[in-house]
Amino acid sequence: MKNPIETQVINATEQISSLVDWLVTRHALPAVPYSPTMYIDLEGVNLCREGAVSILTLLIDTGTPTRRVYLVDVHTLGEQAFNTYGVKQKTLKDILQNKDIPKVFFDVRNDSDALFAHFGVALQGVEDVQLMESATRKTTESRRLLGSLAKCVEKNALIGGSDLASWTLAKEKGERLFKPEHGGSHEVFNQRPIPKDIISYCVGDVQYLPELRDRFWKTQTFEWRDLVDEESTKRVAASQKPEYQPHNPDKALAPWSEDQNRTLDRWNYVSHCRSFDEDFDLHGGWYDDQGGDDYDDLYYDYDLDDISNDFEDWTRADWQGPPS
C-alpha cells in the first residue's frame, strides 16, 4: 500500500461537528490549485432516490503520508449526518454544496441522486474520475462505453503485485456479503457495528481515487479539464431531475457528443506527439516527467468486450448502479 490509512466510523453528532470544523478550517487555508482533499463514495440499500443511504465514505488527503478515511454512519445518524452544526456554524451539507470545495467521485450519478432525494443535498464542485478516465482514451470508439472502478484501478493506479491483490480481495469479500448472486444482501450495509469486511470494501472504493485523479488531471490541459468539469456538472444536474432513471442501461454509455469526441480525438492524438528533447504538450501544457517511451503507458486501448462485461451485472439488475 502506498500510503497508510487510518479509518474511523463517525456515528455521533459530536464527531460530525468535529469533522465539519476540521473541513471548514482546512478549506479556509490557502489552497494549492487543483488539489482537492475530499474523495467520496456512498453505499446503501438500492442506493438512489428509490432506496436508502447507509454509509458515506470520505477520504481526506492532506498531502501527508497518512491518509484518513471516515465512514459516516448515515443509517444511524440520518439527517443529523448532514445538518449538525460545528462551532463555525457550518454543516456537512454546506460543505457538500460549496462549489469552491472540490469533491472527487467515481460515477457521481446515483450518489448525487440519493443525497438530493433523501437529504436535500445538492452537490456542487464535483469532479468525476470515471469521466476523466474516459476522456483520456485515444479514439471515439474506445470511448463508447464507460469503465468500472476495478478496471480503472487495475490499469491506471500505478499499483500491482501484492497491493493490487489485497485491494481486489477486499473488494471481493465485501461483494460476497451484499451481492444477492453470492448469497448476500444489501441490508448488510445497515448492520451495526459495521462488519470489518464492509469497512474494508468501503475504504477500497476511495483508496486509489487520489492517484487516479492526479494521473488524469495533472497530465491534461485546461481545455480538457473544462470539458470534463462541464460533463461532471451535467451529471449532477441530471441526477436531480424528476425524470432521472437510476438503473437505466444507457448509463453504461459515455456522454460525449460527436463534437466532443472529435475534440478529444484531436487532443489525445496531439498529447502523444512529443518533441525529441523535451516533455512539452503541443497545445500548451507541460507533462510530468514520465521518462521516454514509458509515457505511452499512461494510455490504454480498451477492449470493448471487456468494458461491456464491467457493466453486465448492473445493466441487468433492478437494484444497483455501475460497479464500484
Side-chain angles (χ1 to χ4, degrees), residues 39-43 57 59 67 104-109 111 127-134 137 145-159 163-164 167-168 170-172 175 178-179 199-216 235 251-252 300 302 306-314 320-324:
Y39 299 81
I40 302 172
D41 184 71
L42 274 68
E43 299 293 350
T57 307
L59 184 150
R67 289 174 177 168
V104 180
F105 290 77
F106 190 94
D107 193 356
V108 70
R109 291 174 290 186
D111 291 6
E127 298 179 3
D128 197 318
V129 173
Q130 188 183 50
L131 292 177
M132 293 182 195
E133 186 278 325
S134 175
R137 300 185 200 168
L145 295 175
L146 296 166
S148 68
L149 176 61
K151 184 74 72 174
C152 194
V153 168
E154 177 185 345
K155 292 192 173 183
N156 295 284
L158 298 175
I159 63 170
D163 285 344
L164 180 59
W167 183 84
T168 302
K171 296 289 289 179
E172 291 174 349
E175 289 174 355
F178 70 79
K179 284 193 172 182
I199 290 177
S200 297
Y201 178 86
C202 291
V203 170
D205 275 345
V206 296
Q207 182 174 354
Y208 291 111
L209 290 186
E211 281 83 7
L212 290 169
R213 189 264 182 191
D214 285 353
R215 178 158 214 180
F216 301 134
R235 274 191 160 186
K251 289 172 64 182
Y300 297 87
Y302 281 72
D306 288 343
I307 298 173
S308 179
N309 289 338
D310 290 339
F311 286 89
E312 181 176 359
D313 292 339
W314 73 265
Q320 64 178 18
S324 60

Side-chain angles (χ1 to χ4, degrees), residues 12 15 28 32 61 72 90 93 116 118 121 139 157 162 179 224 236 248 250 253 262 301 308 310 316:
Q15 292 174 296
V32 178
D61 181 13
V72 179
K90 296 293 183 181
K93 181 177 181 179
F116 186 70
H118 299 300
V121 175
T139 65
S162 60
K179 284 193 172 182
W224 182 94
V236 172
N248 189 336
D250 286 346
L253 301 175
R262 281 194 291 268
D301 287 318
S308 179
D310 290 339
R316 296 181 182 179

